[in-house]
Amino acid sequence: MEMIITAATVATMFFNSATSESNNYFYNAQMEDGKVETLSVMKNDCNMLTNKLQYRFVYDSQDRLSVKEALLWNERSMRWEPDYRLDYAYAEDGFSVSMRKWNKKKDEYGEVTEKMDYAMVLDNVMAINHYECVKGETMELKSNMLVMNPDERLLASKWTAEVFLKRERMRKQFIDSIILY
């Protein structure tokens, strides 16, 4: 079973989230040649849509996701600012996702800070390893698990949802506290 994240997977994730009625967020996708290239996330604040996040997607020649870039809306400058970038690399037995955070001082993405490896070890068993950069030097294994009968859509969004959702909430609370005070 080959596990890759294709343009169709990204489009499916968008359409699933866009039709959800359980949240206060709205989504606007810009598509090119049937692929989601930009996905803007807006929040309904008192019946007014405000920009929150924007995702930019880049695909390789096989229509597999190769880059997902997340940008945050800056209310003061009224523009999107880079936050983090996920780079996807594919192998015969699976794929890896590496995260790099935006360095404002250098005006570029820094070194890889986290990495997830997804590898099929049996016909329907996938090994997932999560690494974090320790002291800015080496990648250290932080967690690992085996998943039976993995679902491509779940794996494509699981890491982003679990690893980054908590950080984005904390970052938003911090930004809101700065703006309010």
Side-chain angles (χ1 to χ4, degrees), residues 53-66:
L53 291 167
Q54 186 178 78
Y55 297 104
R56 295 181 184 161
F57 303 96
V58 177
Y59 304 91
D60 66 14
S61 61
Q62 297 177 29
D63 277 347
R64 299 177 301 188
L65 184 62
S66 60

Side-chain angles (χ1 to χ4, degrees), residues 137-167:
E137 296 174 11
T138 60
M139 297 300 279
E140 183 177 291
L141 181 65
K142 289 295 184 177
S143 64
N144 56 4
M145 70 175 110
L146 294 175
V147 177
M148 295 185 70
N149 300 315
D151 182 304
E152 183 175 304
R153 292 166 302 173
L154 173 66
L155 293 172
S157 61
K158 183 176 178 61
W159 188 51
T160 302
E162 289 181 358
V163 174
F164 297 115
L165 186 58
K166 181 177 178 184
R167 289 192 181 128

